[in-house]
């Protein structure tokens, strides 16, 4: 069935520089870079991508060092505060609007900075706001972050992609370039726990996928991962440790089964 779904998906043109290249014998990563650098053939342009990526890495290292320094100074007090669910909930209620804007903002930033893991923020949402509100906050952030990523990639192409990803990472998903039912396959991959959903959001911006479809897939497809995290965290905050353990076991099982399903899907599509 998967084999019948294979076709061709061309890269979107970037900044109207050149007619969009059709990805046939060219690898997806080469097509992505060509779409952004079409007409230049300048090796220095690619060097500029690497330089900007290093600038981003250096900036993140500096930020990480500052965060570690602050953690070293304040972590004991913060940990003691976080260990008291009543204190956390009281603070959230005292700063209702600010706390909710903060968790949505941090979660949105995590999606844009795709190399950062999203699970800790999902757990924090469930712990601080409970299952329903924590899940809603994560879904709002998913919609906001996915929209920013999609339109940024459509506008600047590899200038944005090259800041966070290498050509080797694109090669891992080159098999998707021939998927005729790309939207359906992307949804299936998003629903599988453990797949790099934030990377795939960037990936979608380089395809013919419509914004509405990408937004729906990126939001709905994250629900299984978000729900398992917020259920576990909210149960922990409420002292329902049995529910927490069960939800964690389910999350691990889903991740294992998802990894097997993803490898099987990829293998069938490559044949």
């Amino acid at each position: 069935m998967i084999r019948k779904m294979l076709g061709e998906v061309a890269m979107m043109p970037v900044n109207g520089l050149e007619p969009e290249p059709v990805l046939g014998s060219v690898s997806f990563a080469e097509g992505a870079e060509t779409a952004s650098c079409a007409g230049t053939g300048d090796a220095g342009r690619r060097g500029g991508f690497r330089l900007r990526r290093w600038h981003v890495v250096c900036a993140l290292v500096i930020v990480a060092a500052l965060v570690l320094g602050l953690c070293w100074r304040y972590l004991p007090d913060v940990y003691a505060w976080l260990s008291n669910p009543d204190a956390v909930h009281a603070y959230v209620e005292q700063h209702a609007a600010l706390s909710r804007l903060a968790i949505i903002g941090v979660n949105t930033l995590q999606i844009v900075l795709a190399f950062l893991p999203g699970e800790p923020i999902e757990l924090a949402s469930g712990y601080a706001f409970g299952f329903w509100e924590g899940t809603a906050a994560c879904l709002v952030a998913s919609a906001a972050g996915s929209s920013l990523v999609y339109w940024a990639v459509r506008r600047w192409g590899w200038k944005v992609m090259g800041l966070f990803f290498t050509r080797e990472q694109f090669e891992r998903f080159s098999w998707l370039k021939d998927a005729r039912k790309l939207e359906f396959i992307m949804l299936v991959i998003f629903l599988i726990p453990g797949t790099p959903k934030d990377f795939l959001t960037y990936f979608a911006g380089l395809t013919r996928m419509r914004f509405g479809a990408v937004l729906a897939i990126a939001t709905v497809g994250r629900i299984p991962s978000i729900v398992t995290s917020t259920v576990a965290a909210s149960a922990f905050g409420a002292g329902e440790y049995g529910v927490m353990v069960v939800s964690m076991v389910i999350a691990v099982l889903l991740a294992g089964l998802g990894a097997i399903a993803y490898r099987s899907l990829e293998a069938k599509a490559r044949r």
Side-chain angles (χ1 to χ4, degrees), residues 147-197:
S147 300
L148 289 173
V149 168
Y150 180 88
W151 290 116
V153 173
R154 283 295 173 100
R155 175 64 178 83
W156 291 291
W158 188 254
K159 291 180 181 179
V160 173
M161 304 293 293
L163 294 176
F164 304 111
F165 306 108
T166 64
R167 295 177 60 176
E168 288 74 15
Q169 289 172 295
F170 277 95
E171 288 295 337
R172 287 183 53 200
F173 293 90
S174 60
W175 57 277
L176 277 175
K177 73 178 186 295
D178 293 323
R180 182 176 301 161
K181 301 293 186 180
L182 180 59
E183 294 177 359
F184 173 75
I185 294 180
M186 287 283 285
L187 175 60
V188 171
I189 294 176
F190 260 85
L191 289 171
I192 297 174
T195 54
K197 298 174 179 60

Side-chain angles (χ1 to χ4, degrees), residues 42 46 48-49 65-66 89 99 106 112 115 123 157 169 182 192 200 213 221 225 232 241 250-251 258 263 269:
D42 188 1
R46 291 192 293 272
F49 291 147
L66 292 174
H89 295 156
S99 60
V106 171
V112 174
F115 51 86
L123 290 169
Q169 289 172 295
L182 180 59
I192 297 174
L200 290 172
S225 174
Y241 302 115
I250 292 175
R263 289 173 183 172

Side-chain angles (χ1 to χ4, degrees), residues 62-189:
I62 293 173
V63 171
L66 292 174
V67 171
L68 288 175
L70 292 173
C71 287
W72 182 267
R73 172 65 179 84
Y74 297 105
L75 186 59
D77 294 336
V78 172
Y79 178 77
W81 178 70
L82 290 175
S83 300
N84 186 347
D86 293 333
V88 174
H89 295 156
Y91 181 85
V92 165
E93 292 305 318
Q94 185 179 357
H95 304 84
L98 182 61
S99 60
R100 286 157 177 80
L101 288 174
I103 198 68
I104 292 174
V106 171
N107 203 341
T108 300
L109 181 62
Q110 178 275 318
I111 293 173
V112 174
L113 301 178
F115 51 86
L116 296 177
E119 286 76 10
I121 302 174
E122 294 169 359
L123 290 169
S125 300
Y127 184 72
F129 301 103
F131 167 66
W132 291 108
E133 195 169 356
T135 299
C138 290
L139 292 176
V140 170
S142 174
S146 299
S147 300
L148 289 173
V149 168
Y150 180 88
W151 290 116
V153 173
R154 283 295 173 100
R155 175 64 178 83
W156 291 291
W158 188 254
K159 291 180 181 179
V160 173
M161 304 293 293
L163 294 176
F164 304 111
F165 306 108
T166 64
R167 295 177 60 176
E168 288 74 15
Q169 289 172 295
F170 277 95
E171 288 295 337
R172 287 183 53 200
F173 293 90
S174 60
W175 57 277
L176 277 175
K177 73 178 186 295
D178 293 323
R180 182 176 301 161
K181 301 293 186 180
L182 180 59
E183 294 177 359
F184 173 75
I185 294 180
M186 287 283 285
L187 175 60
V188 171
I189 294 176

Side-chain angles (χ1 to χ4, degrees), residues 25-37:
S25 59
V26 182
S27 68
F28 182 85
E30 291 170 340
E33 189 163 356
T34 301
S36 177
C37 301

Side-chain angles (χ1 to χ4, degrees), residues 249-264:
V249 170
I250 292 175
V252 172
L253 290 175
L254 288 175
L257 293 173
I260 296 172
Y262 171 75
R263 289 173 183 172
S264 175

